[in-house]
Amino acid sequence: MAVKYDEQQKIFHIFSKNTSYVTGIVREKYLTHLYWGKRIREYHGSRSIVWKDRGFAPNPDDTDRTFSLDTLPQEYPQTGNGDFRSCAYGIRQENGSRISNLEYAGYEIVDGKEGLPGLPASFGRDDQVQTLYIHMKDPAAGLKVRLAYSVFYEADVITRSVVFENASGEPLTLTKMLSMSVDFREDDFHVLTLYGAHNNERNMDRRPLTSGMVSIESLRGTSSPQQSPFMALLRKDAGEYQGDVYGASFVYSGNFVASAQVDPYRNVRFQMGMNPLNGDWYLKPGETFYTPEVVMVYSDHGLMEMSHIYHEFYQNHLVRSSFAKKPRPVLINNWEATYFDFNEEKLLSLAKKAADAGIELFVLDDGWFGHRDSDTSSLGDWVTDLRKLPHGLGQLSEKIHAMGMEFGLWVEPEMISPDSQLYREHPDYVLHTPGRPCTLGRGQLVLDLSRKEVCDYVVESMARVFKEGHVDYVKWDMNRHLTDVGSAYFPPQQQGEITHRYVLGLYDIMERLTAMFPQVLFESCSSGGGRFDAGMLYYMPQTWCSDNTDAICRMKIQYSTSLVFPPVTMGAHVSVTPNHQTGRVTPLSTRGYVAMSGNLGYELDLEKLTSQELEEIKEQIAFYKSIRNTIQLGMLYRNENPFESNTVSWNFVSKDGHGAVAFFVEVLSPAAAPVRILKLKGLDPDALYKNTKDGCVYGGDELMYTGLSMPLKKQDFRGECYHFIKM
Ligand code: DGJ
């Protein structure tokens, strides 16, 4: 049992291995939040609500001025009747009223967890997860709301989502429908978010909460590189390995909002869900609306433990692909090697070099279809360009397979170029608002995935290409954000639904294609890590982490991405120097170490390398194959934070504890350089470990507490790597 209802106190105690979450019913109808934090055995009314008459706080019961929704810690707050803080949901009735007031209406506790129709969601067996449904109703509006809390006891995770049902006789518009709202009765927090841009995704931003609201969002139609759908509240003393951390990660790939609002009495409202701006939903009588879910993690051992919980949970309870627990192949991708300028001969000689180096998967990137010699044409025309590949995709794939490699293909199925056959035949397939011009992005337009026939077109054309190319791997790209959002196929009152319908259309396409091609390894991409979110991971077990392949930038991007996502979900490639994004020249060894910290790939013209460089790459690949289980399926420990220092270090420990790999990178070579010490984490202190390179033996305790002295080198961007085997 992970949920208990105490009839006498009228409280629900939800608990996992190390976490308790308590919510209760006050005055028969209000659902109040009581506690989220370290596990307690039982709740006996501690941290009771202190009732107080506060100025300007309205009173629903005029006999008691101490009771106000404005000061009540709420579980799913409404708007319009006295709570002036950020509401969790909003409605508009046909009569124009926007007021709503939910009352408690019962509960159910069930073993297991239902899926969310049309949406990605975590899953678990009946003996792994238990769900509490709290039923609420607003009789005046005829609205029913079901709050779902699923508790994964061992995984130490609670998920939340909401279902709205229009039980009235007339339509109702949902104007806001968040998935999570938690009222903390304290404000001693920092807030941590991940912001960025194309080529510079997921920078860590940690700032104290003061007054007012910290809010992040995406209105771009995808989760976006600008803000990641993740927010954590941290105690001020919390760090990687100590202190209270409360994480919220959204299983959704579209517009979102996350916020932390401090009220005048130093309480904090922590919320996450779909972005209400341009995102309402018209609910006809009898219809329901499901929100995506939020995955909530509490840890009292800092960010690293929070990350471990997310990593394990996403690998075990979110990624559906059969690749979730399989080692991923070392790949070569021709993008930075050739861009659009290639032919079959060039690809085959690149592939031959790759196969000789030990590479296992050849990925043909953009430019193989239509007449696409630049990014200005052909999206939507998924037909092989016979000028470049005169023998067709099938034959190219056959030749790659004959070299002993798998064959992978790049596609960008959600898009359409104005210069395409598809556009000439179906201009109406474009996402657009009738009567307004369409805005181009990267010279392309977006398909209207809110329409079933457009989704069908995408599924059919992709299925044909995947079959023709006998593909083992697909890189699914998405290179612009949504503008001019609207659809001629929905009535005016449903135009606010189109952004979400786009995401639902995308999920439907991915659902169908991943079911048709279960043997294919899908890698999601949006100009790199522009849509690196838990929603995409449900369908596609890895993501191209960033278009920025510069090792020094990548250290940071991969470090912060690992706050939520495990290294096995991150595509990481060695590319040429000077680097195409930054112009920086870094040692090949350092580029290798950073890329080896995720799913290793190469993205450069192997034919232009010296024999010495090729030899080094061969060695990297052989070495990576010997450690890849530890990297991809083991545990990551972050040691030195590149956002705070000139160095980064992290290490991996295999699940069986047998192998450990540590990486260290120093960015700039300092004058009067201090000797840096590398301390590993996660080892068995009582065991002995042998360095596979020089045979030296150390105790696990030594490696963790005494540490290793890093050699002094007068070299910028230098890296070191150590591989240990437990004796
Ligand atoms: C953006 C991707 O992130 C790149 O890796 C590459 O696939 C290009 N698109 C191709 O257009």
Side-chain angles (χ1 to χ4, degrees), residues 348-360 403-405 606 614-615 617-619 621 625:
L348 288 175
S349 51
L350 181 61
K352 170 83 181 55
K353 285 265 181 204
D356 289 348
I359 288 176
E360 299 157 311
M403 291 180 194
M405 280 189 294
L606 297 176
L614 271 179
E615 206 40 50
I617 284 181
K618 255 186 210 169
E619 281 167 21
I621 293 169
K625 286 178 181 171

Side-chain angles (χ1 to χ4, degrees), residues 322-468:
S322 61
F323 287 90
K325 302 279 171 56
K326 280 190 201 150
R328 312 290 164 81
V330 179
L331 66 80
I332 178 126
N333 179 302
N334 74 309
W335 180 240
E336 286 200 16
T338 66
Y339 294 105
F340 294 101
D341 184 18
F342 60 82
N343 56 27
E344 185 183 282
E345 199 190 334
K346 171 70 200 164
L347 295 179
L348 288 175
S349 51
L350 181 61
K352 170 83 181 55
K353 285 265 181 204
D356 289 348
I359 288 176
E360 299 157 311
L361 164 66
F362 180 89
V363 181
L364 172 54
D365 210 278
D366 196 354
W368 59 267
F369 54 93
H371 56 274
R372 189 160 161 94
D373 295 329
S374 71
D375 60 15
T376 56
S377 84
S378 304
L379 292 168
D381 295 347
W382 300 106
V383 179
T384 310
D385 182 352
L386 296 178
R387 293 173 309 153
K388 291 182 186 172
L389 306 174
H391 306 104
L393 203 57
Q395 279 220 19
L396 175 69
S397 166
E398 223 172 84
K399 288 172 191 163
I400 302 281
H401 282 127
M403 291 180 194
M405 280 189 294
E406 297 188 304
F407 179 65
L409 194 64
W410 176 97
V411 289
E412 193 178 357
E414 299 159 62
M415 298 292 150
I416 178 167
S417 301
D419 176 11
S420 68
Q421 201 49 34
L422 182 66
Y423 185 77
R424 283 183 280 277
E425 283 168 20
H426 296 285
D428 59 305
Y429 274 18
V430 172
L431 187 72
H432 71 288
T433 297
R436 288 191 178 274
C438 289
T439 313
L440 288 168
R442 207 198 189 203
Q444 63 201 49
L445 299 166
V446 184
L447 286 171
D448 181 357
L449 299 189
S450 70
R451 288 173 58 190
K452 172 128 181 10
E453 60 273 48
V454 179
C455 295
D456 290 346
Y457 171 80
V458 172
V459 171
E460 280 153 26
S461 52
M462 286 302 115
R464 179 178 41 73
V465 166
F466 297 169
K467 277 187 203 142
E468 182 191 334

